[in-house]
């Protein structure tokens, strides 16, 4: 998972402002009678991407990464984030006010056990799932608060978004909502459960075939829902989002309520078994249900796995979206070769966006593009700003990680490029090629049913490990169908949950290498999981990947001597496919550039 969602300044600014905000929060904590407070990155929907009204962690600290947790006490302020963001956090936080800890290597529960023993640490039960509270509670006494003290301190907090919900037509969704609801309800009945809380707006979007505009890059209408065992749904969403057309689309089996009605409707479940996914549902729900006399049953959101397994229409849409996206990528790469040197990082990202905007069914970027030249490419979640935007120089590496939201699919692609005109240094080519070898190794992998992401993560890392190198992020993440560019429940990483990879899933393949202060390398394609053809003596069913992304690799960065004949053959075959599928849709001059970029490797 390698995406930024907000700018990366070079250094913290206006220290009085950040100190003032910390002191304002501390005054609120004293009023509430607690010794500290947990500030997560997520909002009440617990998603990776949040609207401005949910940027609490950024407001209190200045840190704008998409993963993090702050703990603020009367005397200390600590930010925990993972390896994707440690460099960014050091640049954004005032070191005189904040400490930075690695989320995995120095987990917050350990810090709480050491520094908060005997203290009462408050938390907002809307902003944390039960699984996180259980883990953190091992280190301190956690106290749920009725009102969020940070919100009380944040005097000019933006209002929540109210963008309209819109239907996702069956020609793109592939199945009607009634069929999806019937399947999910059958899961509840089999488990003896009367209802399930749907706290993830992605599940609601998928189940009801609706999309929205509450987030800049993910087409969601934010809200909550209750799925009943009779396949009916109660939807809790601001009425302003639901016009008559959407209400007709939802049908009589979906009853819309304002969010204020949620507590009252939960109270009606007294005595009934209600499913809650403890990993993606705010603690508030379980507390409210228990108080009402319902019996809470921990279980996975019944929409999560079916949503990840794309149906044939969604798979066809993903292929079509990637073919269109490939036109923009080819035009951008040709433009980059001819004009990039002397342009800025922001200008390059804008050029790619302009090419995408010209494509049919394009709706938005799937995340803000990561456009990093030279040393900025080594910041895994870098995003250029007016303060950091620098010119792209000659003879340096440039990393561009970007994607598009199309009505029929979501794309995400990364390429590392050499600006020239001179040859790339040998060490850079060696490392790029090892990343490419890992990328190919995963793309060609065949594996039996039942294999999870953690089982195959090492496949992409092995060529780097042989040289004593590694990268501090996951190898792959799930992709939605005109939904989030990061989708669970499956990922490819050492920390991935043991959930089997299944046909129809779309996963990224993005190993990398980062040399701080010098350059970053990442190569990313999206892969569609398919049933593999049966081979002689095969006794198990196997799966394989179909590569969706269509964009050439930069041959100037490939060390041919490292490649095996099979790897060279794969690259040549992939490039031939790119040329055949993309070339006919391009202008003559771009098509000529693509022919040269996709020519067989020499030497």
């Amino acid at each position: 998972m390698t995406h930024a969602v907000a700018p990366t300044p070079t250094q913290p600014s206006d220290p009085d402002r950040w100190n003032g905000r910390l002191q304002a929060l501390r005054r609120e904590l004293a009023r509430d009678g607690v010794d500290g407070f947990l500030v997560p990155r997520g909002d009440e929907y617990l998603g990776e991407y949040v609207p401005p009204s949910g940027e609490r962690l950024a407001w209190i600290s200045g840190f704008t990464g998409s993963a993090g947790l702050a703990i603020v006490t009367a005397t200390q302020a600590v930010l925990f984030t993972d390896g994707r963001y440690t460099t960014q956090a050091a640049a954004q936080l005032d070191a005189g006010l904040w400490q930075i800890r690695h989320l995995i290597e120095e987990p917050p529960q350990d810090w709480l056990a050491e520094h908060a023993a005997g203290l009462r640490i408050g938390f907002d039960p809307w902003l944390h799932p039960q699984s996180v509270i259980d883990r953190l509670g091992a280190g301190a006494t956690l106290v749920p608060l009725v009102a969020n003290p940070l919100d009380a301190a944040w005097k000019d907090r933006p209002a929540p978004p109210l963008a309209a919900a819109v239907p996702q037509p069956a020609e793109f969704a592939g199945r009607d909502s009634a069929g999806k609801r019937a399947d999910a309800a059958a899961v509840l009945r089999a488990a003896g459960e009367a209802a399930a809380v749907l706290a993830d707006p992605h599940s609601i979007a998928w189940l009801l075939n609706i999309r929205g505009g509450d987030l800049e890059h993910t087409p969601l209408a934010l809200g909550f829902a209750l799925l009943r065992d009779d396949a009916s749904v109660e939807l809790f969403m601001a009425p302003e989002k639901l016009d008559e057309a959407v209400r007709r689309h939802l049908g009589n089996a979906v009853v819309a309520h304002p969010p204020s009605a949620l507590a009252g409707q939960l109270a009606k479940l007294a005595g009934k078994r209600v499913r809650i996914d403890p990993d993606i549902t705010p603690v508030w729900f379980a507390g409210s249900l228990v108080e009402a006399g319902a019996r809470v049953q921990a279980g996975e959101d019944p929409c999560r796995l079916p949503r990840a397994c794309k149906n044939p229409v969604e798979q066809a849409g993903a292929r079509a979206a990637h073919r269109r996206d490939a036109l923009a990528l080819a035009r951008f790469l040709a433009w980059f070769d001819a004009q990039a040197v002397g342009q800025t990082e922001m200008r390059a990202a804008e050029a790619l966006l302009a090419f995408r905007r010209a494509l049919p069914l394009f709706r938005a970027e799937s995340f803000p593009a990561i456009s990093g030249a030279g040393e900025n490419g080594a910041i895994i979640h870098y995003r250029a700003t007016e303060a950091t935007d620098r010119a792209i120089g000659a003879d340096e590496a440039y990393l561009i990680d970007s994607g598009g939201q199309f009505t029929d699919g979501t794309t995400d692609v990364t390429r590392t490029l050499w600006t020239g005109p001179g040859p790339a240094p040998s060490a850079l080519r060696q490392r790029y090629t090892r990343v490419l070898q890992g990328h190919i190794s995963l793309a060609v992998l065949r594996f039996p049913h039942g294999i999870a992401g953690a089982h195959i993560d090492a496949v992409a890392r092995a060529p780097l490990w042989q040289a004593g190198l590694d990268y501090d992020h996951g190898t792959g993440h799930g992709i939605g169908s005109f939904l989030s560019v990061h989708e669970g429940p499956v990922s490819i990483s050492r920390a991935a949950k043991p959930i089997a990879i299944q046909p129809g899933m779309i996963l990224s393949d993005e190993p990398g290498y980062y040399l701080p202060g010098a350059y970053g390398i990442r190569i990313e394609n999206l892969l569609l999981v398919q049933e593999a053809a049966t081979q002689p003596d095969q006794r198990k069913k196997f799966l394989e990947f179909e590569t969706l992304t269509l964009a050439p690799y930069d041959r100037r960065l490939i060390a041919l001597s490292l490649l095996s004949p099979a790897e060279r053959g794969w690259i040549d075959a992939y490039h031939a496919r790119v040329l055949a599928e993309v070339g006919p849709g391009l202008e003559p001059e771009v098509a000529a550039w693509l022919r040269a970029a996709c020519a067989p490797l020499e030497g």
Side-chain angles (χ1 to χ4, degrees):
M1 298 185 180
T2 53
H3 302 143
V5 296
T8 307
T10 54
Q11 58 185 13
S13 60
D14 193 2
D16 290 342
R17 175 176 61 168
W18 303 115
N19 185 51
R21 291 180 179 182
L22 279 173
Q23 296 310 318
L25 174 58
R26 285 167 172 151
R27 287 192 292 270
E28 295 296 333
L29 298 183
R31 292 189 185 100
D32 288 337
V34 293
D35 303 300
F37 189 62
L38 306 178
V39 185
R41 170 53 171 68
D43 61 3
E44 62 266 40
Y45 304 103
L46 306 186
E48 178 182 9
Y49 299 106
V50 300
S53 59
E55 291 281 8
R56 294 177 177 87
L57 184 57
W59 182 83
I60 192 64
S61 69
F63 173 69
T64 59
S66 65
L69 171 74
I71 303 175
V72 178
T73 69
T75 59
Q76 296 191 73
V78 187
L79 174 76
F80 298 84
T81 191
D82 62 33
R84 298 171 296 168
Y85 287 117
T86 49
T87 302
Q88 176 177 331
Q92 290 187 313
L93 270 62
D94 186 328
L97 300 173
W98 287 88
Q99 305 168 48
I100 300 172
R101 297 288 183 269
H102 195 289
L103 186 65
I104 308 302
E105 297 171 1
E106 305 170 281
Q109 58 267 30
D110 290 356
W111 188 94
L112 286 167
E114 181 178 353
H115 298 278
L119 300 183
R120 300 174 74 247
I121 305 298
F123 70 94
D124 185 338
W126 279 101
L127 303 183
H128 304 268
Q130 188 65 53
S131 58
V132 169
I133 292 302
D134 289 344
R135 184 168 64 250
L136 297 178
T141 301
L142 301 186
V143 181
L145 302 178
V146 174
N148 189 312
L150 188 149
D151 292 353
W154 189 357
K155 301 302 183 183
D156 58 349
R157 183 179 168 220
L162 291 172
V166 296
Q168 175 73 338
E171 64 181 292
F172 301 120
R175 291 193 68 199
D176 62 18
S177 174
K180 295 177 181 180
R181 288 187 281 108
D183 287 351
V187 172
L188 300 184
R189 291 194 301 272
E193 296 162 350
V197 171
L198 302 183
D200 183 352
H202 300 86
S203 290
I204 297 169
W206 175 85
L207 183 67
L208 303 182
N209 286 342
I210 59 173
R211 299 294 188 268
D214 283 339
L215 300 179
E216 188 175 0
H217 302 287
T218 307
L220 293 177
L222 297 175
F224 299 105
L226 282 173
L227 169 68
R228 304 279 188 169
D229 62 358
D230 64 357
S232 66
V233 168
E234 291 182 74
L235 177 64
F236 301 90
M237 191 173 286
E240 298 93 323
K241 300 181 184 182
L242 304 172
D243 63 18
E244 286 304 314
V246 173
R247 290 174 186 269
R248 287 194 301 272
H249 167 77
L250 293 174
N252 295 333
V254 179
V255 178
H257 302 277
S260 59
L262 182 55
Q265 294 300 313
L266 291 180
K268 295 179 181 179
L269 293 169
K272 298 181 178 180
R273 295 181 68 190
V274 181
R275 176 181 295 212
I276 281 185
D277 190 324
D279 293 327
I280 59 174
T281 306
V283 172
W284 179 89
F285 282 91
S288 298
L289 286 165
V290 170
E291 185 177 345
R295 291 176 290 166
V296 173
Q297 182 70 35
E300 185 171 80
D301 176 336
C303 300
R304 204 172 186 208
L305 187 58
R307 184 180 80 236
C309 299
K310 311 306 185 278
N311 63 52
V313 170
E314 291 172 319
Q315 293 181 37
R319 294 185 186 98
H322 279 84
R323 284 193 295 270
R324 288 194 306 279
D325 203 45
L327 298 172
L329 292 168
R331 289 164 181 149
F332 169 77
L333 293 171
W335 172 89
F336 187 90
D337 256 8
Q339 301 184 39
V341 174
Q343 303 281 356
T344 70
E345 296 165 326
M346 292 178 68
R347 174 69 188 98
E350 290 163 358
L352 178 51
L353 178 56
F355 289 125
R356 280 197 170 106
R357 279 181 174 146
L359 299 172
L361 302 184
F362 177 77
R363 296 293 175 262
E365 290 180 289
S366 55
F367 58 95
I370 298 171
S371 174
E375 71 283 357
N376 288 339
I379 303 172
I380 297 173
H381 274 210
Y382 174 75
R383 184 185 172 194
T385 70
E386 295 292 344
T388 68
D389 189 27
R390 80 164 183 76
I392 299 170
D395 292 333
E396 68 177 0
Y398 168 79
L399 187 153
I400 179 74
D401 184 350
S402 69
Q405 290 285 10
F406 299 86
T407 310
D408 54 354
T410 301
T411 70
D412 180 6
V413 53
T414 308
R415 288 295 182 266
T416 304
L417 310 173
W418 178 248
T419 60
S426 175
L428 173 61
R429 289 188 293 109
Q430 297 276 328
R431 289 163 179 169
Y432 176 92
T433 305
R434 290 187 179 277
V435 172
L436 179 58
Q437 287 174 308
H439 172 85
I440 295 170
S441 295
L442 188 59
V444 302
L445 185 67
R446 287 170 51 93
F447 52 97
H449 278 258
I451 291 296
H455 300 142
I456 63 175
D457 177 72
V459 170
R461 297 179 189 270
L464 286 163
W465 286 353
Q466 289 175 344
L469 308 173
D470 200 6
Y471 50 95
D472 199 5
H473 59 73
T475 296
H477 55 84
I479 306 286
S481 180
F482 189 39
L483 278 172
S484 179
V485 74
H486 287 159
E487 178 178 88
V490 169
S491 65
I492 302 173
S493 77
R494 283 170 281 194
K497 293 185 176 181
I499 299 172
I501 298 170
Q502 297 188 26
M505 290 180 173
I506 299 176
L507 302 168
S508 68
D509 171 7
E510 50 181 308
Y513 174 76
Y514 309 90
L515 184 62
Y519 56 78
I521 301 166
R522 188 161 61 251
I523 305 171
E524 177 185 20
N525 285 348
L526 298 192
L527 308 176
L528 173 62
V529 183
Q530 300 277 31
E531 296 281 359
T534 302
Q535 296 187 356
D537 299 324
Q538 181 175 317
R539 296 186 179 183
K540 292 182 177 180
K541 289 186 176 181
F542 273 64
L543 299 171
E544 62 186 4
F545 293 119
E546 171 191 340
T547 298
L548 296 174
T549 307
L550 298 168
Y553 307 109
D554 194 332
R555 60 205 304 115
R556 295 167 295 188
L557 287 170
I558 298 175
L560 293 175
S561 61
L562 283 183
L563 296 178
S564 70
E567 289 166 340
R568 291 184 58 163
W570 187 92
I571 295 169
D572 284 344
Y574 175 76
H575 279 162
R577 179 188 165 206
V578 170
L579 183 60
E581 295 192 29
V582 182
L586 294 171
E587 306 76 23
E589 62 275 15
V590 180
W593 176 90
L594 188 65
R595 282 194 296 274
C598 292
L601 297 176
E602 299 175 354

